[in-house]
Amino acid sequence: MRIRIVDAFTDRPFTGNPAGVLLFGPDGFPDDSRLQQIAAELNLSETAFAHPLPPGGAADWALRWFTPATEVDMCGHATLATAHVLHTTATASGTVRFAARCGILTSTAQPDGSVALDFPTAPLTPEASPQGLAAALGAEPVSVHDTGPHTGDLLVEVADEAAVRGLAPDFAALTAHSRRGVIATAAATGPGCGYDFVSRCFFPAVGIDEDPVTGSAHTALAPFWSARLGRDDLTGLQASARSGLVRTSLRGDRTLLTGRAVTVLDGELLVAL
């Protein structure tokens, strides 16, 4: 069984967000416990597992994602990593449709070598800042929004880019404030920096203190910042230590997430499934 590690939302190795990718045959997935063990062994924020579906259906591949601790409903960077593997190995071309927990997702290879993902736009619901959130995050919220059922995050706007970059959260305390995690964001410091907004994402409830570059979070960041900046096409910088760029295009109830990826490891899983 081939196993690959792909750095997503970057064009340089050892930056962006690494994801494991395993492609199975048409017989389907092994037991959930085995998938979880593989994801725990890789110890990346997500490992993607996919297998081809019979032709003529609504999707071409079944796709699932596991953190080291649990299965998740939606993951952008591991979907980009999977699409990258399918395209670079000539396993698929053009547009690929994935059947996932959150519905049908598509990936389309772009002429410049990037991949565009079509994801559902997160429904944002404003709410009051929960008691203790400011202390857990390490910054006073300007606004707080729930991001809906697929991600279960809190989107927290803070004062400025410097505040986002300087966050040092209490991860144990953050687990009390959302089902998955907290997205902290602010507008870019100024024009000409190559991005429109910044973010950092903290998911200790699913075993990830800080995720390097989170595609699924941008399904919430896109409508949030498009409403404030008055443009549907934006670029977000996730200001983690590894860093990465996500281009977002708001299309009503769908959001396009576009980025590049680089395969950094291609090996063989030696354990029987």
Side-chain angles (χ1 to χ4, degrees):
M1 173 62 60
R2 295 281 287 279
I3 185 166
R4 297 169 175 89
I5 295 178
V6 177
D7 290 342
F9 292 114
T10 184
D11 58 1
R12 294 180 293 116
F14 313 125
T15 61
N17 201 352
V21 178
L22 284 86
L23 304 180
F24 297 103
D27 290 341
F29 297 114
D31 291 343
D32 290 4
S33 60
R34 181 60 82 187
L35 299 180
Q36 188 64 72
Q37 287 175 327
I38 295 169
E41 183 74 13
L42 290 181
N43 200 33
L44 301 171
S45 57
E46 266 91 11
T47 297
F49 302 96
H51 72 78
L53 295 171
D60 308 303
W61 288 75
L63 180 62
R64 298 171 72 180
W65 313 277
F66 285 75
T67 76
T70 190
E71 186 173 7
V72 296
D73 288 350
M74 179 189 290
C75 179
H77 87 277
T79 304
L80 176 58
T82 304
H84 171 78
V85 170
L86 291 174
H87 290 302
T88 56
T89 61
T91 306
S93 61
T95 296
V96 180
R97 302 166 299 166
F98 297 104
R101 273 187 171 190
C102 56
I104 302 298
L105 310 174
T106 65
S107 71
T108 303
Q110 303 296 298
D112 65 357
S114 63
V115 174
L117 306 176
D118 184 326
F119 271 51
T121 300
L124 299 179
T125 304
E127 58 181 58
S129 179
Q131 184 175 2
L133 175 62
L137 185 60
E140 193 65 38
V142 174
S143 67
V144 178
H145 291 75
D146 180 84
T147 65
H150 291 315
T151 56
D153 298 325
L154 285 184
L155 177 64
V156 181
E157 180 188 10
V158 297
D160 52 31
E161 181 174 338
V164 173
R165 292 181 178 274
L167 292 173
D170 179 339
F171 296 117
L174 275 187
T175 61
H177 293 291
S178 69
R179 180 167 58 86
R180 186 177 74 159
V182 171
I183 307 163
T185 189
T189 297
C193 59
Y195 52 90
D196 301 291
F197 59 87
V198 296
S199 65
R200 289 174 65 191
C201 295
F202 309 108
F203 305 132
V206 293
I208 307 161
D209 284 346
E210 180 167 6
D211 196 39
V213 191
T214 313
S216 60
H218 286 75
T219 66
L221 290 161
F224 181 85
W225 286 112
S226 290
R228 282 157 177 73
L229 300 178
R231 289 183 285 123
D232 289 338
D233 298 327
L234 301 170
T235 299
L237 171 72
Q238 195 152 328
S240 66
R242 291 177 62 102
S243 189
L245 291 171
V246 183
R247 301 201 309 270
T248 65
S249 298
L250 186 64
R251 300 292 184 264
D253 64 353
R254 308 294 294 186
T255 295
L256 301 183
L257 310 171
T258 302
R260 295 176 178 271
V262 181
T263 300
V264 296
L265 186 150
D266 187 346
E268 185 177 358
L269 186 67
L270 300 178
V271 178
L273 297 175

